[in-house]
Amino acid sequence: MAISYANHIPPKGYGVLLSCSVSLEDKEKNEPFKKGHKMKTYQEWQALRATIKVPYNAYINGQFVAAQSGDTFDCINPTDESLLAKVASCDSADVDLAVAAAKQTFKSGIWSELAPGKRKRILHKWADLLEQHQDELALIDTLDMGKSISEMVGIDVPDSLDCLRWSAECIDKLYGEIAPTNPQNLALISREPLGVVAIITPWNYPLMMVMWKIAPALAAGNSVILKPSEKSPLSALRIAQLATEAGMPDGVFNVLPGFGHTAGKALALHYDIGTLAFTGSSRVAGMLMQYAGQSNMKRVWLEAGGKSPCLVFDDCKDIKAAAKGAATAIFTNQGEVCIACSRLYLHSSIKEEFMVELLKAAREYVPADPLDPATKMGPMVDKAQFDNVSGFIQSAIDDGATLELGGVPEYQQGKGFFMNPTIFSDADHSMRFVQEEIFGPVLAVMTFETEDEAIELANDSKYGLGAAIWTNDLSRAHRVSRKLESGMVWVNTWGDGDTTVPFGGVKASGNGRDKSWHALEKYTEIKNTWIRL
Ligand code: NAD
C-alpha cells in the first residue's frame, strides 16, 4: 500500500521561514525594501514603458488564446485614459475549456503528485524569474490600475515574491498526523490537494492579491484557474507565461480575464470546481455563496470588504506620529485598500491638536503621475470608481459633515481620474459615508469620550477586517484589541505584516485568511485513513 505524505500540514504555529516586513515607516519612506534593487527615475520608467509588450489573451493549458467568442474589453490606463490593450473577454465556453485542461492535468499527477522537493524547485525558479522581471511587473500594474510605482517596487512586488518563496518552502515541510488510537489500528490524518481551484481577485493590488492566493494553492499541488479583475488583468497574464518558462506543467495555472458575471459566475457555478477562493467586495462575496449553493456546494473562501476604524486615545504620546499614521491608513493607494481606516475616532480632548497634524500629513498626498517615484498617490482605477467616490463625498456634504480638506473632484476628460485626499469632521454613524465602504481617499473623523464608547463605535459596522489603536497604555491596547470585532488589529501602526501572519476578516469582511500556514489549510483537504493492523 502506498501512502503519500506529500501534502501533510504541520501543527499550527510552526516556525517562520522567510519574511518581508512591510512597516509603516518603510511605507512612509516609499523606498524599495529589497536592498540592492535601484529605483528607476521617471525617465527610465518611461523608457521601459516604450519597450514592454503587455499580454492580452487568456492563458489556458500553457498557451495564450483568444476568447472563443472573439470578444475583447478595453484595458485603460487611468493616468491618461489611453488604451493599454484589448483583452480577451472570457465567458462560460472558455471556462469549460480551462476547467477541462486543469482537471486533466490534476488527474495526470504531473503536478499534484510531483515530489514536493521538485514542485518547490519549480516555484523557486518561477520566483527568480519574477524577480528578474520585477520592474516590468511593477510597471504593468502601475499602468493598469494607477497605483504609485514606488509602492509597486517597495511593497507589491517584494511582498508577492516573499509570499511565493514562503509558500514554496512550506511544501516539503508539511507533515501529517497519526491519531492516538488503540494499538490494533493505525489512523493517518493527511492533507491532500483539492483538485481544480478557482480564484477570483480584485484590482487594487493586482499582483499581490493574485499571489497571496495562487502561491499556496499551487504549492499544495492544486491546478488553478485564476480570474483577475477586468480592471487590472495584465500582470496575472504575464506571470502565467513566466510560470511556464519556470517549468510549471501546462494546465496547472490558467488565467481567464473577463467580467465577473461572465467568467467569474461561470467558474462559481461550475461542477468540476471544488473550491473557490475570492477577494473582492462583500456584495459579490455573498453572490458567490449563493452560486455555490445552486451548484455543487463548492467550498467558498471569502476575503471581502472593509470599513476599518482607527482609535486614538488621550494617552497617545506622539500625536504627530499617530496623525501621520492615520493619514497613511486612508490615503495609501488612493484609499483603494480593503483595510483602509476610513473611520477615525479621536478622544475629544486631543481632537484640536490632532486635526492640525492630520491635515498637515494629508496635504503630503498630492495626486500625480504614478510613474514618478516621488508620487504618493495616483488616479482612481477608472471613471466608475471616480464617480462612485465622488458620490460618497457629495453624500457626506448633504448629510451635514464638515468638509476639512478636498471635496468633490472635477473630472477633465483625457486627464485621468485624479482625486484629492478628502477629510470630513463632525461625522456620525447615521451618515451613509460612515457606514459603507467607499474605497477611495475619503476620511470621516468622529470623537469619543470613553474606552467603552470607542469600542462600541468601532464595532458598529457590518464589516470586521482591520482596526488600528493608538495608545501608550499596554493594558488598554490588549483590552481594546480583544473587544474589537476585527480579523486584524494594529497597535501604534497600521497595515504592517508579512507572509508569516494571516490576513482576513470577520462579519461581512469574509471567512478566509490569506498568507501564513492558515492559507495552506484553505487549499488542502483533510483525509483520515483508518487501518486495522
Ligand atoms: P468586486 O467584488 O467588484 O470584484 C472582485 C472580482 O469578482 C473581480 O474579478 C470581478 O470581476 C469578480 N466578479 C464581479 N461580479 C462577479 C460575479 N457575479 N460572479 C463572480 N465574480 C464576479 O471587487 P473589486 O471592485 O474588484 O475590489 C474591491 C473590493 O475588494 C473592495 O470591497 C475591497 O475591500 C475588497 N478587497 C478585499 C481584500 C481582503 O483581503 N479582504 C483585499 C483587497 C480588496
Side-chain angles (χ1 to χ4, degrees):
M1 179 171 38
I3 299 176
S4 165
Y5 290 85
N7 297 295
H8 295 184
I9 211 155
K12 286 182 179 139
Y14 196 80
V16 171
L17 299 168
L18 267 174
S19 74
C20 160
S21 183
V22 178
S23 75
L24 185 61
E25 210 178 302
D26 292 325
K27 277 179 207 143
E28 278 165 1
K29 281 197 225 141
N30 261 343
E31 280 173 4
F33 307 138
K34 292 267 173 211
K35 303 297 170 213
H37 184 70
K38 194 175 152 279
M39 169 62 97
K40 288 188 171 4
T41 63
Y42 181 64
Q43 288 72 23
E44 285 169 338
W45 285 115
Q46 292 287 5
L48 183 61
R49 179 186 179 173
T51 63
I52 62 161
K53 286 198 178 98
V54 293
Y56 51 86
N57 271 333
Y59 200 74
I60 302 176
N61 214 8
Q63 306 271 333
F64 278 121
V65 287
Q68 289 188 64
S69 64
D71 288 350
T72 60
F73 61 86
D74 290 350
C75 208
I76 302 289
N77 177 353
T79 301
D80 58 11
E81 301 176 46
S82 61
L83 179 71
L84 288 170
K86 285 194 163 297
V87 178
S89 185
C90 296
D91 60 23
S92 58
D94 307 290
V95 166
D96 287 343
L97 202 68
V99 173
K103 190 176 168 186
Q104 197 280 328
T105 305
F106 184 80
K107 276 189 162 176
S108 78
I110 192 169
W111 182 254
S112 54
E113 291 171 20
L114 192 64
K118 288 188 178 164
R119 227 190 292 148
K120 171 170 114 170
R121 278 201 291 282
I122 293 174
L123 292 179
H124 273 302
K125 194 166 171 207
W126 189 26
D128 292 344
L129 271 176
L130 298 182
E131 190 161 8
Q132 281 166 33
H133 290 83
Q134 62 180 301
D135 281 343
E136 178 193 347
L137 293 169
L139 180 62
I140 288 176
D141 275 2
T142 291
L143 294 174
D144 209 1
M145 69 71 63
K147 71 188 303 151
S148 74
I149 194 75
S150 55
E151 262 205 48
M152 278 308 303
V153 173
I155 297 175
D156 297 39
V157 172
D159 182 285
S160 304
L161 289 173
D162 274 324
C163 180
L164 179 54
R165 290 187 170 127
W166 199 90
S167 305
E169 272 310 320
C170 288
I171 306 173
D172 56 2
K173 296 163 191 68
L174 303 180
Y175 292 83
E177 299 160 23
I178 295 179
T181 61
N182 69 40
Q184 285 77 42
N185 301 293
L186 174 65
L188 308 175
I189 301 166
S190 53
R191 290 244 170 208
E192 297 182 339
L194 301 158
V196 183
V197 171
I199 290 175
I200 301 180
T201 53
W203 46 264
N204 61 330
Y205 284 80
L207 179 66
M208 205 164 99
M209 289 302 103
V210 162
M211 196 54 85
W212 284 6
K213 286 186 154 42
I214 61 170
L218 290 168
N222 299 291
S223 290
V224 167
I225 299 176
L226 167 71
K227 200 220 70 77
S229 169
E230 57 273 26
K231 299 186 186 194
S232 60
L234 303 179
S235 57
L237 293 165
R238 181 66 178 118
I239 65 171
Q241 191 182 21
L242 292 172
T244 303
E245 222 174 296
M248 193 175 288
D250 293 347
V252 173
F253 178 36
N254 308 277
V255 183
L256 297 181
F259 284 88
H261 56 274
T262 54
K265 185 174 174 181
L267 279 170
L269 285 169
H270 208 290
Y271 278 77
D272 284 336
I273 288 172
T275 295
L276 168 66
F278 169 81
T279 300
S281 65
S282 301
R283 184 185 65 83
V284 173
M287 292 162 80
L288 297 178
M289 290 177 113
Q290 291 183 30
Y291 299 152
Q294 285 162 23
S295 53
N296 58 343
M297 281 177 61
K298 57 178 63 63
R299 197 170 296 175
V300 183
W301 296 109
L302 305 166
E303 273 92 33
K307 187 78 193 171
S308 300
C310 173
L311 312 178
V312 189
F313 290 93
D314 50 351
D315 59 37
C316 170
K317 291 248 164 29
D318 193 344
I319 295 284
K320 197 171 168 181
K324 270 185 98 169
T328 307
I330 181 65
F331 302 127
T332 294
N333 205 36
Q334 308 79 243
E336 294 167 330
V337 184
C338 55
I339 53 169
C341 283
S342 48
R343 297 184 288 142
L344 173 61
Y345 300 95
L346 304 175
H347 189 272
S348 61
S349 66
I350 59 167
K351 183 186 169 193
E352 214 171 299
E353 183 189 354
F354 198 96
M355 287 305 290
V356 173
E357 294 298 334
L358 176 68
L359 290 170
K360 215 188 285 174
R363 288 195 178 97
E364 286 181 19
Y365 288 82
V366 180
D369 188 337
L371 269 193
D372 183 340
T375 295
K376 285 178 96 166
M377 198 166 155
M380 298 278 95
V381 69
D382 63 7
K383 184 67 168 41
Q385 187 66 6
F386 178 93
D387 289 343
N388 190 34
V389 178
S390 303
F392 273 109
I393 297 173
Q394 189 58 55
S395 81
I397 294 169
D398 296 344
D399 285 344
T402 305
L403 183 62
E404 302 275 359
L405 186 73
V408 179
E410 241 178 67
Y411 169 66
Q412 289 177 282
Q413 196 165 9
K415 298 254 167 79
F417 311 115
F418 291 96
M419 182 170 267
N420 282 305
T422 292
I423 298 178
F424 288 98
S425 61
D426 305 320
D428 70 57
H429 280 217
S430 67
M431 299 175 181
R432 186 170 78 93
F433 92 116
V434 177
Q435 286 295 331
E436 290 182 28
E437 184 181 40
I438 300 174
F439 224 52
V442 183
L443 177 64
V445 184
M446 291 159 279
T447 55
F448 64 89
E449 301 300 332
T450 65
E451 188 179 299
D452 283 348
E453 190 194 356
I455 293 166
E456 200 169 314
L457 286 167
N459 288 341
D460 179 26
S461 169
K462 65 179 171 185
Y463 298 105
L465 191 54
I469 308 169
W470 291 82
T471 177
N472 274 61
D473 179 339
L474 187 62
S475 301
R476 168 171 274 162
H478 281 289
R479 210 167 44 230
V480 175
S481 171
R482 279 189 191 160
K483 289 189 178 163
L484 289 175
E485 296 165 358
S486 178
M488 296 167 284
V489 178
W490 292 276
V491 179
N492 296 332
T493 186
W494 167 82
D496 292 2
D498 60 30
T499 312
T500 65
V501 293
F503 189 103
V506 298
K507 295 158 79 176
S509 293
N511 59 11
R513 294 292 183 275
D514 283 327
K515 305 195 297 176
S516 79
W517 289 114
H518 301 285
L520 278 150
E521 286 167 1
K522 287 195 305 194
Y523 301 110
T524 53
E525 187 64 89
I526 293 178
K527 180 173 280 176
N528 158 24
T529 307
W530 183 282
I531 304 165
R532 178 165 296 183
L533 300 177

